Coordinates of all heavy atoms in Angstrom, one line a residue:
M1 N 16.0 6.4 -5.7 CA 15.1 5.7 -4.8 C 13.7 6.3 -4.9 O 13.3 6.9 -5.8 CB 15.7 5.7 -3.4 CG 16.9 4.8 -3.2 SD 16.6 3.1 -3.5 CE 16.1 2.6 -1.9
F2 N 13.1 6.3 -3.7 CA 11.7 6.9 -3.6 C 11.8 8.3 -3.2 O 11.9 8.7 -2.1 CB 11.0 6.1 -2.5 CG 9.6 5.6 -2.9 CD1 9.5 4.4 -3.6 CD2 8.5 6.3 -2.5 CE1 8.3 3.9 -4.0 CE2 7.3 5.8 -2.9 CZ 7.1 4.6 -3.6
S3 N 11.7 9.2 -4.2 CA 11.8 10.6 -3.9 C 10.5 11.1 -3.4 O 9.4 10.7 -3.9 CB 12.3 11.4 -5.1 OG 11.3 11.4 -6.1
K4 N 10.4 12.1 -2.5 CA 9.2 12.6 -1.9 C 8.4 13.4 -2.9 O 7.1 13.4 -2.8 CB 9.5 13.5 -0.7 CG 9.9 12.7 0.5 CD 10.0 13.7 1.6 CE 10.7 13.1 2.8 NZ 10.8 14.1 3.9
K5 N 9.0 14.0 -3.9 CA 8.3 14.9 -4.8 C 7.2 14.2 -5.6 O 6.1 14.8 -5.7 CB 9.3 15.5 -5.7 CG 8.8 16.6 -6.6 CD 9.8 17.3 -7.3 CE 9.3 18.5 -8.1 NZ 10.3 19.2 -8.9
S6 N 7.4 13.1 -6.1 CA 6.4 12.5 -7.0 C 5.6 11.3 -6.3 O 5.1 10.5 -6.9 CB 7.0 11.9 -8.2 OG 8.0 11.0 -7.9
V7 N 5.7 11.3 -5.0 CA 5.0 10.2 -4.2 C 3.5 10.6 -4.0 O 3.2 11.7 -3.6 CB 5.7 10.0 -2.9 CG1 4.8 9.0 -2.0 CG2 7.0 9.4 -3.1
R8 N 2.6 9.7 -4.3 CA 1.2 9.9 -4.1 C 0.7 9.0 -3.0 O 0.7 7.8 -3.1 CB 0.4 9.5 -5.4 CG -1.1 9.7 -5.2 CD -1.7 9.4 -6.5 NE -1.5 10.6 -7.4 CZ -1.8 10.6 -8.7 NH1 -2.2 9.5 -9.3 NH2 -1.6 11.7 -9.4
P9 N 0.2 9.6 -1.9 CA -0.3 8.8 -0.8 C -1.6 8.2 -1.2 O -2.4 8.7 -2.0 CB -0.6 9.9 0.3 CG -0.6 11.2 -0.3 CD 0.2 11.1 -1.6
L10 N -1.8 7.0 -0.6 CA -3.0 6.2 -0.9 C -4.1 6.5 0.1 O -3.8 6.7 1.2 CB -2.7 4.7 -1.0 CG -1.7 4.2 -2.0 CD1 -1.4 2.7 -1.8 CD2 -2.2 4.5 -3.4
E11 N -5.4 6.4 -0.4 CA -6.5 6.5 0.5 C -7.1 5.2 0.8 O -7.7 5.0 1.9 CB -7.6 7.4 -0.1 CG -7.2 8.9 -0.1 CD -7.0 9.5 1.2 OE1 -7.8 9.2 2.1 OE2 -6.1 10.3 1.4
V12 N -6.9 4.2 -0.1 CA -7.5 2.9 0.1 C -6.3 1.9 0.3 O -5.4 1.8 -0.5 CB -8.3 2.4 -1.2 CG1 -8.8 1.0 -1.1 CG2 -9.4 3.5 -1.5
P13 N -6.4 1.1 1.4 CA -5.3 0.1 1.6 C -5.3 -1.0 0.6 O -6.3 -1.6 0.2 CB -5.7 -0.5 3.0 CG -6.6 0.5 3.6 CD -7.4 1.1 2.5
L14 N -4.1 -1.2 0.0 CA -3.8 -2.2 -1.0 C -2.6 -3.1 -0.5 O -1.7 -2.5 0.0 CB -3.5 -1.6 -2.3 CG -4.6 -0.7 -3.0 CD1 -4.0 0.0 -4.2 CD2 -5.8 -1.6 -3.4
V15 N -2.7 -4.4 -0.8 CA -1.6 -5.2 -0.5 C -0.7 -5.3 -1.7 O -1.2 -5.8 -2.8 CB -2.0 -6.6 0.0 CG1 -0.8 -7.5 0.2 CG2 -2.8 -6.6 1.3
R16 N 0.5 -4.8 -1.6 CA 1.4 -4.7 -2.8 C 2.8 -5.1 -2.3 O 3.1 -5.0 -1.1 CB 1.4 -3.4 -3.4 CG 0.1 -2.9 -4.0 CD -0.1 -3.6 -5.3 NE -1.2 -3.0 -6.0 CZ -2.4 -3.6 -6.2 NH1 -2.6 -4.8 -5.7 NH2 -3.3 -3.0 -6.9
R17 N 3.7 -5.4 -3.2 CA 5.1 -5.7 -2.8 C 5.8 -4.4 -2.7 O 5.8 -3.5 -3.6 CB 5.8 -6.5 -3.9 CG 7.1 -7.0 -3.5 CD 7.7 -8.1 -4.4 NE 6.8 -9.3 -4.5 CZ 6.7 -10.3 -3.7 NH1 7.5 -10.2 -2.6 NH2 5.9 -11.3 -3.9
C18 N 6.4 -4.2 -1.5 CA 7.1 -2.9 -1.2 C 8.4 -2.8 -2.1 O 9.1 -3.8 -2.3 CB 7.5 -2.9 0.2 SG 8.5 -1.4 0.7
F19 N 8.7 -1.6 -2.6 CA 9.8 -1.4 -3.5 C 11.1 -1.5 -2.6 O 12.1 -2.0 -3.2 CB 9.8 -0.1 -4.1 CG 11.0 0.4 -4.8 CD1 11.3 -0.2 -6.0 CD2 11.8 1.3 -4.3 CE1 12.5 0.1 -6.7 CE2 13.0 1.7 -5.0 CZ 13.3 1.1 -6.2
S20 N 11.1 -1.2 -1.4 CA 12.3 -1.1 -0.6 C 12.6 -2.5 0.1 O 13.7 -3.0 -0.1 CB 12.1 -0.1 0.5 OG 13.3 0.1 1.3
C21 N 11.6 -3.1 0.8 CA 11.9 -4.3 1.5 C 11.4 -5.5 0.8 O 11.7 -6.7 1.2 CB 11.2 -4.3 2.9 SG 9.4 -4.2 2.9
H22 N 10.7 -5.4 -0.3 CA 10.3 -6.5 -1.2 C 9.4 -7.5 -0.6 O 9.3 -8.7 -1.0 CB 11.5 -7.2 -1.8 CG 12.4 -6.3 -2.5 ND1 12.1 -5.7 -3.7 CD2 13.7 -5.9 -2.2 CE1 13.2 -4.9 -4.1 NE2 14.1 -5.0 -3.2
Q23 N 8.6 -7.1 0.5 CA 7.7 -7.9 1.1 C 6.3 -7.5 0.8 O 6.0 -6.3 0.5 CB 7.9 -7.9 2.6 CG 9.2 -8.4 3.1 CD 9.3 -8.4 4.6 OE1 8.4 -8.0 5.3 NE2 10.5 -8.8 5.1
L24 N 5.3 -8.5 0.8 CA 3.9 -8.1 0.6 C 3.4 -7.5 1.8 O 3.2 -8.2 2.9 CB 3.1 -9.4 0.2 CG 3.4 -9.9 -1.2 CD1 2.6 -11.2 -1.4 CD2 2.9 -8.9 -2.2
K25 N 3.0 -6.2 1.8 CA 2.5 -5.5 2.9 C 1.5 -4.5 2.4 O 1.3 -4.3 1.2 CB 3.6 -4.7 3.6 CG 4.6 -5.6 4.3 CD 5.6 -4.7 5.0 CE 6.7 -5.5 5.8 NZ 7.6 -4.6 6.4
F26 N 0.7 -3.8 3.3 CA -0.2 -2.8 2.9 C 0.7 -1.6 2.5 O 1.5 -1.1 3.2 CB -1.1 -2.4 4.1 CG -2.2 -3.3 4.3 CD1 -2.2 -4.1 5.4 CD2 -3.3 -3.3 3.4 CE1 -3.3 -5.0 5.6 CE2 -4.3 -4.2 3.6 CZ -4.4 -5.0 4.7
A27 N 0.4 -1.1 1.3 CA 1.1 0.0 0.7 C 0.5 1.3 1.2 O -0.8 1.4 1.3 CB 1.1 0.0 -0.8
I28 N 1.3 2.3 1.6 CA 0.7 3.6 2.0 C 0.9 4.7 0.9 O 0.3 5.7 0.9 CB 1.3 4.1 3.3 CG1 2.8 4.3 3.2 CG2 1.0 3.2 4.4 CD1 3.5 5.1 4.3
A29 N 1.8 4.4 -0.1 CA 2.1 5.4 -1.1 C 2.6 4.7 -2.4 O 3.1 3.6 -2.3 CB 3.2 6.4 -0.6
S30 N 2.4 5.4 -3.5 CA 2.8 4.9 -4.8 C 3.6 6.0 -5.5 O 3.4 7.2 -5.2 CB 1.6 4.4 -5.6 OG 0.8 5.5 -6.0
Q31 N 4.3 5.5 -6.5 CA 5.1 6.4 -7.3 C 5.0 5.9 -8.7 O 5.4 4.7 -9.0 CB 6.6 6.5 -6.8 CG 7.4 7.5 -7.5 CD 8.8 7.5 -6.9 OE1 9.4 6.5 -6.6 NE2 9.4 8.7 -6.8
V32 N 4.6 6.7 -9.7 CA 4.5 6.3 -11.1 C 5.8 6.8 -11.8 O 6.1 8.0 -11.7 CB 3.2 6.9 -11.7 CG1 3.2 6.5 -13.2 CG2 2.0 6.4 -11.0
L33 N 6.4 5.9 -12.5 CA 7.7 6.2 -13.2 C 7.5 5.8 -14.7 O 6.7 4.9 -15.0 CB 8.9 5.5 -12.6 CG 9.1 5.9 -11.1 CD1 10.1 4.9 -10.5 CD2 9.6 7.3 -11.0
I34 N 8.3 6.3 -15.5 CA 8.4 5.9 -16.9 C 9.6 5.0 -17.2 O 10.7 5.4 -16.8 CB 8.4 7.1 -17.9 CG1 7.3 8.1 -17.6 CG2 8.4 6.7 -19.3 CD1 5.9 7.5 -17.8
H35 N 9.3 3.8 -17.7 CA 10.4 2.9 -18.0 C 11.3 3.5 -19.1 O 10.8 4.0 -20.1 CB 9.9 1.6 -18.4 CG 10.9 0.4 -18.4 ND1 11.6 0.2 -19.5 CD2 11.2 -0.4 -17.4 CE1 12.4 -0.9 -19.2 NE2 12.2 -1.2 -17.9
K36 N 12.6 3.4 -19.0 CA 13.5 4.1 -19.9 C 13.5 3.5 -21.3 O 13.4 4.2 -22.3 CB 15.0 4.1 -19.4 CG 15.2 5.0 -18.2 CD 16.6 4.9 -17.7 CE 16.8 5.8 -16.5 NZ 18.2 5.7 -16.0
S37 N 13.5 2.2 -21.4 CA 13.6 1.6 -22.7 C 12.2 1.5 -23.4 O 12.1 1.7 -24.6 CB 14.2 0.2 -22.7 OG 13.5 -0.6 -21.9
S38 N 11.2 1.1 -22.7 CA 9.9 0.9 -23.3 C 9.0 2.2 -23.4 O 8.1 2.3 -24.2 CB 9.1 -0.2 -22.7 OG 8.8 0.2 -21.3
G39 N 9.3 3.1 -22.4 CA 8.5 4.3 -22.3 C 7.1 4.2 -21.7 O 6.3 5.1 -21.7
R40 N 6.9 3.0 -21.1 CA 5.6 2.7 -20.5 C 5.7 3.1 -19.0 O 6.7 2.9 -18.4 CB 5.3 1.2 -20.6 CG 5.1 0.8 -22.1 CD 4.8 -0.6 -22.2 NE 3.6 -0.7 -23.0 CZ 2.7 -1.6 -23.0 NH1 2.8 -2.7 -22.2 NH2 1.7 -1.6 -23.8
P41 N 4.5 3.5 -18.4 CA 4.5 3.8 -17.0 C 4.4 2.6 -16.2 O 3.9 1.6 -16.6 CB 3.3 4.7 -16.9 CG 2.4 4.3 -18.0 CD 3.3 3.9 -19.1
Y42 N 5.0 2.6 -15.0 CA 4.9 1.5 -14.0 C 4.9 2.1 -12.6 O 5.3 3.3 -12.4 CB 6.1 0.5 -14.2 CG 7.4 1.0 -13.8 CD1 8.0 0.8 -12.6 CD2 8.2 1.7 -14.7 CE1 9.2 1.3 -12.2 CE2 9.5 2.2 -14.4 CZ 10.0 2.0 -13.2 OH 11.2 2.4 -12.8
C43 N 4.3 1.4 -11.7 CA 4.2 1.9 -10.3 C 5.1 1.2 -9.4 O 5.4 0.0 -9.5 CB 2.8 1.6 -9.8 SG 1.6 2.8 -10.4
R44 N 5.6 2.0 -8.4 CA 6.4 1.4 -7.3 C 5.6 1.7 -6.0 O 4.9 2.8 -5.9 CB 7.8 2.0 -7.2 CG 8.6 1.7 -8.3 CD 10.1 2.1 -8.1 NE 10.3 3.4 -7.7 CZ 11.5 4.0 -7.6 NH1 12.6 3.2 -7.9 NH2 11.7 5.2 -7.2
W45 N 5.6 0.8 -5.1 CA 4.8 0.9 -3.9 C 5.7 0.9 -2.7 O 6.8 0.3 -2.7 CB 3.8 -0.2 -3.8 CG 3.0 -0.4 -5.0 CD1 3.3 -1.2 -6.1 CD2 1.7 0.2 -5.3 NE1 2.3 -1.1 -7.0 CE2 1.3 -0.3 -6.6 CE3 0.9 1.1 -4.6 CZ2 0.2 0.1 -7.2 CZ3 -0.3 1.5 -5.2 CH2 -0.6 1.0 -6.5
I46 N 5.3 1.6 -1.6 CA 6.1 1.6 -0.4 C 5.2 1.3 0.8 O 4.0 1.7 0.9 CB 6.9 2.9 -0.2 CG1 7.9 2.7 0.9 CG2 6.0 4.0 0.1 CD1 9.0 3.7 0.8
C47 N 5.7 0.4 1.7 CA 4.9 0.1 2.9 C 5.1 1.1 4.0 O 5.9 2.0 3.9 CB 5.3 -1.3 3.4 SG 7.0 -1.4 4.1
E48 N 4.3 0.9 5.1 CA 4.3 1.9 6.2 C 5.7 2.0 6.9 O 6.2 3.0 7.2 CB 3.2 1.6 7.2 CG 3.0 2.6 8.2 CD 1.8 2.4 9.0 OE1 1.1 1.3 8.9 OE2 1.5 3.3 9.8
S49 N 6.3 0.8 7.1 CA 7.6 0.8 7.9 C 8.7 1.5 7.1 O 9.5 2.2 7.6 CB 8.0 -0.6 8.3 OG 8.1 -1.4 7.2
C50 N 8.8 1.2 5.7 CA 9.8 1.8 4.9 C 9.5 3.2 4.6 O 10.4 4.0 4.5 CB 9.9 1.0 3.6 SG 10.5 -0.7 3.8
G51 N 8.2 3.6 4.6 CA 7.9 5.0 4.4 C 8.2 5.8 5.6 O 8.5 7.0 5.5
H52 N 8.0 5.2 6.8 CA 8.3 5.9 8.0 C 9.8 6.4 8.0 O 10.1 7.5 8.5 CB 8.0 5.1 9.2 CG 8.2 5.7 10.5 ND1 7.3 6.7 11.0 CD2 9.1 5.6 11.5 CE1 7.7 7.1 12.2 NE2 8.8 6.4 12.5
K53 N 10.7 5.5 7.5 CA 12.1 5.9 7.5 C 12.4 7.0 6.6 O 13.3 7.8 6.8 CB 12.9 4.6 7.0 CG 12.9 3.5 7.9 CD 13.5 2.3 7.3 CE 13.2 1.0 8.1 NZ 13.7 -0.2 7.4
R54 N 11.5 7.2 5.5 CA 11.7 8.2 4.5 C 10.9 9.5 4.8 O 10.8 10.4 4.0 CB 11.4 7.7 3.2 CG 12.4 6.7 2.7 CD 11.9 6.1 1.4 NE 12.9 5.2 0.8 CZ 13.2 4.0 1.1 NH1 12.6 3.5 2.2 NH2 14.1 3.3 0.5
G55 N 10.2 9.5 5.9 CA 9.3 10.6 6.3 C 8.0 10.6 5.6 O 7.3 11.6 5.5
I56 N 7.5 9.5 5.0 CA 6.2 9.4 4.4 C 5.3 8.7 5.4 O 5.5 7.6 5.9 CB 6.3 8.5 3.1 CG1 7.4 9.1 2.2 CG2 5.0 8.4 2.4 CD1 7.7 8.2 1.0
R57 N 4.2 9.4 5.7 CA 3.2 8.9 6.7 C 1.9 8.6 6.0 O 1.6 9.1 4.9 CB 2.9 10.0 7.7 CG 4.2 10.6 8.3 CD 4.5 9.8 9.6 NE 5.6 10.5 10.3 CZ 6.8 10.1 10.3 NH1 7.2 9.0 9.7 NH2 7.7 10.7 11.1
A58 N 1.2 7.7 6.6 CA -0.2 7.3 6.1 C -1.1 8.5 6.4 O -1.0 9.1 7.5 CB -0.7 6.1 6.9
T59 N -2.0 8.7 5.5 CA -3.0 9.8 5.7 C -4.1 9.4 6.6 O -4.3 8.2 6.8 CB -3.6 10.2 4.3 OG1 -4.3 9.0 3.8 CG2 -2.6 10.6 3.3
P60 N -4.8 10.3 7.2 CA -5.9 10.0 8.1 C -7.0 9.2 7.4 O -7.6 8.3 8.0 CB -6.4 11.3 8.6 CG -5.3 12.3 8.5 CD -4.5 11.8 7.3
G61 N -7.3 9.5 6.2 CA -8.3 8.8 5.4 C -7.9 7.3 5.2 O -8.7 6.4 5.3
Y62 N -6.6 7.1 5.0 CA -6.1 5.7 4.8 C -6.2 4.9 6.1 O -6.7 3.8 6.1 CB -4.6 5.8 4.4 CG -3.9 4.5 4.3 CD1 -3.9 3.7 3.1 CD2 -3.3 3.9 5.4 CE1 -3.3 2.5 3.0 CE2 -2.6 2.7 5.3 CZ -2.6 2.0 4.1 OH -2.0 0.8 4.1
L63 N -5.9 5.5 7.2 CA -6.0 4.9 8.5 C -7.4 4.5 8.9 O -7.7 3.5 9.4 CB -5.3 5.7 9.6 CG -3.8 6.0 9.5 CD1 -3.3 6.9 10.5 CD2 -3.1 4.6 9.6
K64 N -8.3 5.4 8.5 CA -9.8 5.2 8.8 C -10.2 4.0 7.9 O -11.0 3.2 8.4 CB -10.5 6.5 8.4 CG -12.0 6.3 8.6 CD -12.7 7.6 8.2 CE -14.2 7.4 8.1 NZ -14.9 8.5 7.5
N65 N -9.9 4.0 6.6 CA -10.3 2.9 5.7 C -9.7 1.6 6.2 O -10.3 0.5 6.1 CB -9.9 3.2 4.3 CG -10.7 4.3 3.7 OD1 -11.8 4.6 4.1 ND2 -10.2 5.0 2.7
L66 N -8.4 1.6 6.7 CA -7.8 0.4 7.2 C -8.5 -0.1 8.4 O -8.7 -1.3 8.5 CB -6.3 0.7 7.5 CG -5.5 -0.5 7.9 CD1 -5.4 -1.6 6.8 CD2 -4.1 -0.1 8.3
Q67 N -8.9 0.8 9.3 CA -9.7 0.4 10.5 C -11.0 -0.2 10.1 O -11.4 -1.3 10.7 CB -9.8 1.6 11.4 CG -10.5 1.2 12.7 CD -10.6 2.4 13.6 OE1 -10.4 3.6 13.2 NE2 -11.0 2.2 14.8
T68 N -11.7 0.3 9.1 CA -13.0 -0.2 8.8 C -12.8 -1.6 8.1 O -13.7 -2.5 8.2 CB -13.8 0.7 7.8 OG1 -13.0 1.0 6.7 CG2 -14.1 2.0 8.5
M69 N -11.7 -1.8 7.4 CA -11.4 -3.1 6.8 C -11.2 -4.2 7.9 O -11.7 -5.3 7.8 CB -10.2 -3.1 5.9 CG -10.4 -2.5 4.6 SD -8.9 -2.4 3.6 CE -8.4 -4.1 3.5
D70 N -10.5 -3.8 9.0 CA -10.2 -4.7 10.1 C -11.5 -5.0 10.8 O -11.7 -6.2 11.2 CB -9.2 -4.1 11.1 CG -7.8 -4.0 10.5 OD1 -7.6 -4.8 9.6 OD2 -7.0 -3.3 11.1
E71 N -12.4 -4.1 11.0 CA -13.7 -4.3 11.6 C -14.6 -5.2 10.8 O -15.3 -6.0 11.3 CB -14.4 -3.0 11.9 CG -13.7 -2.2 13.0 CD -14.4 -0.8 13.1 OE1 -15.3 -0.5 12.3 OE2 -13.9 0.0 14.0
G72 N -14.5 -5.1 9.5 CA -15.3 -5.9 8.6 C -14.9 -7.4 8.6 O -15.6 -8.3 8.3
D73 N -13.6 -7.7 9.0 CA -13.1 -9.1 9.0 C -13.6 -9.9 10.2 O -13.6 -11.1 10.2 CB -11.6 -9.1 9.0 CG -11.0 -8.6 7.7 OD1 -11.8 -8.6 6.7 OD2 -9.8 -8.3 7.6
Q74 N -14.1 -9.2 11.2 CA -14.5 -9.9 12.4 C -16.0 -10.4 12.2 O -16.8 -9.6 11.6 CB -14.5 -8.9 13.6 CG -13.1 -8.5 14.0 CD -13.1 -7.4 15.0 OE1 -14.1 -7.0 15.5 NE2 -11.9 -7.0 15.4
T75 N -16.3 -11.6 12.6 CA -17.6 -12.1 12.4 C -18.2 -12.3 13.8 O -17.5 -12.4 14.8 CB -17.5 -13.5 11.7 OG1 -16.7 -14.4 12.5 CG2 -17.0 -13.3 10.3
E76 N -19.5 -12.4 13.8 CA -20.2 -12.6 15.1 C -20.0 -14.1 15.5 O -19.8 -15.0 14.7 CB -21.7 -12.3 14.9 CG -22.0 -10.9 14.6 CD -23.4 -10.6 14.4 OE1 -24.3 -11.4 14.7 OE2 -23.8 -9.5 13.9
A77 N -20.2 -14.3 16.8 CA -19.9 -15.6 17.4 C -21.0 -16.7 16.9 O -20.7 -17.8 16.7 CB -19.9 -15.6 18.9
G78 N -22.2 -16.2 16.7 CA -23.3 -17.2 16.3 C -23.5 -17.3 14.8 O -24.2 -18.2 14.4
S79 N -22.7 -16.6 14.0 CA -23.0 -16.7 12.6 C -22.1 -17.8 12.0 O -21.1 -18.2 12.5 CB -22.6 -15.4 11.9 OG -21.2 -15.1 12.1
K80 N -22.7 -18.4 10.9 CA -21.9 -19.4 10.2 C -21.1 -18.8 9.1 O -21.6 -17.9 8.4 CB -22.9 -20.4 9.6 CG -23.7 -21.3 10.6 CD -24.6 -22.3 9.9 CE -25.3 -23.1 11.0 NZ -26.2 -24.1 10.3
V81 N -20.0 -19.4 8.9 CA -19.1 -18.9 7.8 C -19.0 -20.0 6.8 O -18.5 -21.1 7.1 CB -17.7 -18.5 8.3 CG1 -16.8 -18.1 7.2 CG2 -17.8 -17.4 9.3
L82 N -19.4 -19.8 5.6 CA -19.3 -20.8 4.5 C -18.1 -20.5 3.6 O -18.0 -19.3 3.2 CB -20.6 -20.8 3.7 CG -21.9 -21.1 4.5 CD1 -23.1 -20.9 3.5 CD2 -21.9 -22.4 5.0
A83 N -17.3 -21.4 3.3 CA -16.2 -21.3 2.5 C -16.2 -22.3 1.4 O -16.5 -23.5 1.6 CB -14.9 -21.4 3.3
Q84 N -15.9 -21.8 0.2 CA -15.8 -22.8 -0.9 C -14.4 -23.2 -1.1 O -13.5 -22.3 -1.2 CB -16.3 -22.1 -2.2 CG -16.4 -23.0 -3.4 CD -17.0 -22.3 -4.6 OE1 -17.3 -21.1 -4.5 NE2 -17.1 -23.0 -5.7
V85 N -14.1 -24.4 -1.1 CA -12.7 -24.9 -1.3 C -12.5 -25.5 -2.6 O -13.3 -26.1 -3.3 CB -12.4 -26.0 -0.2 CG1 -11.0 -26.5 -0.3 CG2 -12.6 -25.4 1.2

């Protein structure tokens, strides 16, 4: 499964499919593994809720970047939002 030794915590929030629960969520950590038959590297991602169960926590830098992303999504009441469909 997701061993703690080779887990790399993320600093930038990314939406990825969690290796454990298979849902699209913000990943807090990644793990690079080598595929047995092809020998190519591939990444596994873990979300905050599944990482919490394994003792993997989000870094303070990650939480700060996530908060700034949330603040950037809010728009002012008088501004117009143009969307291309």
Side-chain angles (χ1 to χ4, degrees):
M1 291 295 272
F2 229 82
S3 64
K4 287 186 190 179
K5 189 174 184 180
S6 61
V7 171
R8 176 176 285 165
L10 298 177
E11 290 294 324
V12 179
L14 299 171
V15 175
R16 298 285 191 247
R17 188 169 303 279
C18 178
F19 171 73
S20 182
C21 65
H22 306 289
Q23 295 181 2
L24 287 174
K25 294 183 179 180
F26 281 107
I28 61 165
S30 68
Q31 185 177 43
V32 178
L33 301 167
I34 305 297
H35 196 271
K36 288 181 182 179
S37 62
S38 67
R40 300 182 126 202
Y42 67 97
C43 281
R44 295 194 307 189
W45 309 90
I46 193 159
C47 68
E48 191 170 3
S49 59
C50 295
H52 184 73
K53 296 173 191 172
R54 293 172 170 78
I56 302 169
R57 306 269 188 258
T59 62
Y62 175 89
L63 296 173
K64 179 183 169 191
N65 289 335
L66 185 62
Q67 184 179 12
T68 57
M69 282 179 59
D70 287 342
E71 290 172 358
D73 288 343
Q74 298 173 358
T75 59
E76 296 178 14
S79 65
K80 291 184 179 180
V81 178
L82 300 175
Q84 184 178 2
V85 179

